[in-house]
């Protein structure tokens, strides 16, 4: 009988979620772990007394046709829109408008909307820090530290994808033998 490949993805930003979505669409059993309260990573939207704001990337360019297909589907789903910024160019003592500035994509109502859309039917564990990864004879295990819960280990992964910040991924990798 066929046993699906079980994969842990560490990092719930756009890279981790796009990876998780692709793996799941190919039949893998995927669990995403992220230390934040919600998905988004560098595309997070935060709430403040002044209202919501995107504290990472405010928009992104689309130059690759393969990526553009995804962005078009996000626009159709209402989680992304097109922003045509007015870009000023300083030339000596004057400023002119660059009419050729390329349009950018922006999450609606905030950048985290794109990641929430990607994560919609994935298994995602937020507020959970991955403190260690270890390899046994045939599988991987993760040391998990959920916020306000006891630390524990989740085992039996066939693969682990590190899609978080470089410093966090490096810390996990330096623990491996």
């Amino acid at each position: 009988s066929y046993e699906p490949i079980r994969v842990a993805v560490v990092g719930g930003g756009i890279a981790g979620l796009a990876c998780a979505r692709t793996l799941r669409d190919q039949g893998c059993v995927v669990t995403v772990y992220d230390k934040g309260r919600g998905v988004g990573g560098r595309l997070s939207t935060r709430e403040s007394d002044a209202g919501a704001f995107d504290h990472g990337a405010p928009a992104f360019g689309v130059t690759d046709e393969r990526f553009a297909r995804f962005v078009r589907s996000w626009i159709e789903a209402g989680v992304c829109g097109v922003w045509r910024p007015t870009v000023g160019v300083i030339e000596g003592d004057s400023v002119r408008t660059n009419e050729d500035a390329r349009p950018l994509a922006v999450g609606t109502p905030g950048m985290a909307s794109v990641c929430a859309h990607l994560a919609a039917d994935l298994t995602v564990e937020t507020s959970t820090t991955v403190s260690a990864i270890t390899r046994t004879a045939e599988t991987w295990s993760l040391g998990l530290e959920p916020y306000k819960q006891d630390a524990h280990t989740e085992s039996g992964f066939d693969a682990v994808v590190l899609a978080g910040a470089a410093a966090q991924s490096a810390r996990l990798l330096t623990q491996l033998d």
Side-chain angles (χ1 to χ4, degrees), residues 69-87:
R69 287 193 308 266
F70 288 104
V71 174
R72 284 192 293 272
S73 74
W74 299 339
I75 291 169
E76 289 175 19
V79 298
C80 199
V82 177
W83 176 39
R84 291 177 174 76
T86 301
V87 178

Side-chain angles (χ1 to χ4, degrees), residues 94-151:
S94 64
V95 177
R96 69 172 175 79
T97 301
N98 180 359
E99 301 298 330
D100 297 325
R102 68 180 176 167
L104 299 172
V106 61
T108 56
M111 292 300 283
S113 299
V114 173
C115 290
H117 177 73
L118 286 171
D121 61 348
L122 295 173
T123 301
V124 179
E125 299 289 334
T126 56
S127 300
T128 302
T129 298
V130 176
S131 58
I133 55 174
T134 55
R135 176 83 175 152
T136 60
E138 297 190 16
T139 62
W140 292 90
S141 297
L142 279 71
L144 303 175
E145 297 178 12
Y147 181 68
K148 293 188 176 181
Q149 295 178 25
D150 291 335

Side-chain angles (χ1 to χ4, degrees), residues 153-171:
T153 300
E154 184 71 28
S155 302
F157 294 103
D158 299 299
V160 177
V161 175
L162 298 180
Q168 296 161 357
S169 296
R171 181 180 49 76

Side-chain angles (χ1 to χ4, degrees), residues 11-110:
I14 193 166
L17 293 169
C19 176
R21 162 78 30 230
T22 301
L23 290 167
R24 185 177 173 282
D25 290 350
Q26 295 304 312
C28 296
V29 175
V30 181
T31 304
V32 177
Y33 297 93
D34 194 89
K35 67 180 183 170
R37 288 182 286 159
V39 296
R42 300 283 184 239
L43 296 185
S44 293
T45 302
R46 296 276 169 97
E47 295 292 330
S48 75
D49 292 340
F53 67 96
D54 295 320
H55 74 97
F60 54 89
V62 181
T63 58
D64 185 280
E65 183 52 37
R66 295 167 296 182
F67 183 53
R69 287 193 308 266
F70 288 104
V71 174
R72 284 192 293 272
S73 74
W74 299 339
I75 291 169
E76 289 175 19
V79 298
C80 199
V82 177
W83 176 39
R84 291 177 174 76
T86 301
V87 178
V89 179
I90 299 172
E91 294 176 335
D93 293 336
S94 64
V95 177
R96 69 172 175 79
T97 301
N98 180 359
E99 301 298 330
D100 297 325
R102 68 180 176 167
L104 299 172
V106 61
T108 56

